[in-house]
Amino acid sequence: MTTATATTAETVEELARTVVRERPPATTPTAELMGAWYDAGLAWVHFPRGLGGLEAPRMLQTAANRVLKEAGGPEPRTVNIIGYGIVAGTIVRYAPPELAARLLRPLATGEELWCQLFSEPGAGSDLAGLATRAVRDGDDWVVTGQKVWNSLAHLARWGILLARTDPDVPKHKGLTYFLVDMQSPGVEVRPLRQITGRAQFNEVFLEGVRIPDAMRLGDVGAGWAVSLSTLSDERVGLGDRVPARGAGSIGEALALWAARPDRQTPVLRDRLARLWLRSESHRLTVERAKVAAGHGVFGPEAAITKLVASELNQQVYEFCQELLGLEGTLYESYTSVLEDDDSPTPYQRKFLRSRAATIEGGTSEIQRNIVAERVLRLPADLRNDKNVPWRDVPRS
Ligand SMILES: Cc1cc2nc3c(=O)[nH]c(=O)nc-3n(C[C@H](O)[C@H](O)[C@H](O)COP(=O)(O)OP(=O)(O)OC[C@H]3O[C@@H](n4cnc5c(N)ncnc54)[C@H](O)[C@@H]3O)c2cc1C
């Protein structure tokens, strides 16, 4: 029997080298390359064999991805950002194996993109207060409601959906988690324009959308627990994207510094040095957390990495704006772009995009609440709706 401990960084690297040797990234279509990557168990090395994994320690993923990158392949996450970052872990934990096998391969190859249908106009931080209703009708559920801020919903084939199936119990208890086919009748996606000029998130209207009961994850009424595992993965995904030492956003700030000696001052030099130190201590903290997590998922501690990464990201681009001076106020044409293009992103756009970092995936205030309550075990936030049936909770 092959055990997890039998899989080492060397065996993972060897498997990865075999995939890129047989399918050179430069000449292989991405879907084919990533299909071979999945079949070799390299999509998520900690997943079960046959479902894109090797049952190996999670930290070995870095070794596999490095080989892919050095061969000119994509960073896997970018192939299906929400699929890899948020959805896959929940599918493997909660979907029956046949359903997981059906969904995970096209997710890994990018042939079926995913979106997250959680937030609503009246339920963001207070996600458990959401109002979208799912009513049982034979073997199906019929869903009606409105979601908002749904990244990539305009491109997605599938969505993860949290809906209320019982309004007569307290809010956390009446939720159920579904996988929805975005091509179903009754799904309407309307793009929203962001501060950057791009339109990468959407409103999604659901009007009598039928979802087979077979596409439910977890028990009826147990959707909150399922969504917590998704949200934890999301925090990890947003917080553990740490590039190599001196690379990423801090690397860009260093490059801008070097390119603009005319704008350098001792005060800005001190600020850049402090940002570099914070970036490096964040990188090392995440590396330590990955080792500590081993096979398992990160716990509420993921809130710490998400909090630090998003605030640091903003501080680095604020620094770049200050270094640019008035130039920082110049902006490229305000065209709405529905898909990512490959053109280099100017600092100005990165600065504007960074404003969302402390909101998406849960605001910094919410991350601090999680750290306070679930890591430091401080007294919980006051909740006057905890034992009240959702139907009776006052709403604006
Ligand atoms: C770029 C981007 C992409 C997104 N993508 C998706 C997506 O794909 N799918 C999806 O479902 N959602 C998505 N979201 C939505 C995101 O999850 C929510 O915006 C976020 O959870 C905050 O909810 P809200 O906007 O309703 O703000 P609110 O919850 O209304 O919060 C308003 C303010 O009140 C503060 N606040 C609220 N409650 C508390 C509290 N208890 N204690 C202290 N302060 C509090 C908040 O921190 C915030 O400052 C995205 C958001 C952004 C910016």
Side-chain angles (χ1 to χ4, degrees):
M1 192 179 83
T2 314
T3 63
T5 47
T7 311
T8 62
E10 288 71 35
T11 50
V12 165
E13 280 170 7
E14 190 44 47
L15 274 171
R17 274 195 288 272
T18 305
V19 172
V20 296
R21 196 167 46 241
E22 290 173 356
R23 290 180 179 73
T27 52
T28 309
T30 303
E32 185 187 328
L33 172 65
M34 297 313 289
W37 192 248
Y38 174 91
D39 295 337
L42 296 169
W44 306 274
V45 295
H46 56 297
F47 278 19
R49 289 170 188 275
L51 294 177
L54 296 166
E55 288 158 38
R58 185 187 189 129
M59 55 183 288
L60 297 186
Q61 190 68 50
T62 314
N65 291 2
R66 193 184 318 114
V67 173
L68 185 62
K69 189 173 173 208
E70 283 169 5
E75 158 63 40
R77 227 191 287 245
T78 61
V79 170
N80 194 347
I81 188 98
I82 293 181
Y84 272 88
I86 301 181
V87 176
T90 303
I91 289 183
V92 88
R93 270 173 238 130
Y94 287 95
E98 318 77 61
L99 181 60
R102 151 71 188 91
L103 295 171
L104 285 175
R105 196 174 190 281
L107 181 159
T109 62
E111 289 163 296
E112 290 183 351
L113 299 184
W114 283 77
C115 68
Q116 180 193 30
L117 305 175
F118 280 15
S119 304
E120 297 185 3
S125 302
D126 181 24
L127 180 61
L130 61 80
T132 292
R133 281 284 276 131
V135 177
R136 187 76 189 243
D137 182 24
D139 288 340
D140 292 346
W141 292 83
V142 180
V143 179
T144 300
Q146 185 199 340
K147 299 289 177 176
V148 73
W149 318 126
N150 311 112
S151 307
L152 303 178
H154 57 292
L155 303 174
R157 168 65 204 272
W158 295 99
I160 47 173
L161 171 79
L162 197 57
R164 186 159 306 283
T165 44
D166 187 351
D168 295 317
V169 292
K171 61 182 183 179
H172 291 93
K173 296 189 176 151
L175 299 169
T176 303
Y177 195 117
F178 300 97
L179 306 178
V180 59
D181 183 344
M182 296 296 285
Q183 294 172 354
S184 307
V187 176
E188 190 192 340
V189 180
R190 295 190 202 158
L192 292 166
R193 179 85 66 102
Q194 288 147 259
I195 192 175
T196 55
R198 298 186 151 204
Q200 292 174 312
F201 57 20
N202 306 269
E203 293 176 294
V204 174
F205 295 84
L206 304 149
E207 189 56 57
V209 178
R210 298 193 81 86
I211 302 179
D213 187 53
M215 301 305 275
R216 168 171 52 81
L217 297 192
D219 291 337
V220 175
W224 184 247
V226 186
S227 71
L228 285 184
S229 98
T230 307
L231 294 172
S232 176
D233 284 349
E234 181 173 18
R235 286 194 286 271
V236 173
L238 290 166
D240 82 345
R241 258 182 265 165
V242 279
R245 182 182 158 115
S249 58
I250 191 65
E252 290 174 2
L254 285 165
L256 185 63
W257 173 263
R260 299 303 304 262
D262 57 313
R263 300 279 313 161
Q264 293 177 1
T265 65
V267 172
L268 284 174
R269 182 187 293 114
D270 277 0
R271 224 169 111 189
L272 181 58
R274 272 201 300 277
L275 287 169
W276 194 90
L277 288 172
R278 287 201 67 196
S279 301
E280 187 57 6
S281 49
H282 176 244
R283 185 183 72 79
L284 293 170
T285 305
V286 170
E287 290 305 331
R288 266 202 311 276
K290 280 186 190 167
V291 174
H295 271 281
V297 290
F298 286 39
E301 293 79 5
I304 302 173
T305 58
K306 197 276 174 182
L307 178 66
V308 174
S310 56
E311 296 193 346
L312 197 51
N313 182 267
Q314 289 183 348
Q315 289 157 10
V316 168
Y317 290 116
E318 281 161 14
F319 167 84
C320 292
Q321 282 293 86
E322 201 164 325
L323 187 60
L324 283 169
L326 279 179
E327 252 181 81
T329 62
L330 299 177
Y331 202 66
E332 56 177 333
S333 78
Y334 228 73
T335 333
S336 171
V337 183
L338 286 176
E339 293 174 58
D340 270 328
D341 56 39
D342 291 331
S343 57
T345 309
Y347 287 97
Q348 290 88 338
R349 195 200 298 158
K350 288 185 176 176
F351 165 74
L352 290 178
R353 177 63 182 81
S354 73
R355 307 321 296 170
T358 49
I359 304 172
E360 61 191 330
T363 65
S364 286
E365 288 77 14
I366 296 304
Q367 307 309 316
R368 287 193 167 88
N369 279 351
I370 295 170
V371 173
E373 291 174 27
R374 298 179 51 209
V375 179
L376 302 176
R377 302 284 169 202
L378 293 172
D381 214 4
L382 203 61
R383 292 188 185 102
N384 55 9
D385 57 0
K386 203 171 171 191
N387 299 313
V388 181
W390 177 82
R391 196 189 283 287
D392 299 333
V393 176
R395 269 176 291 279
S396 52

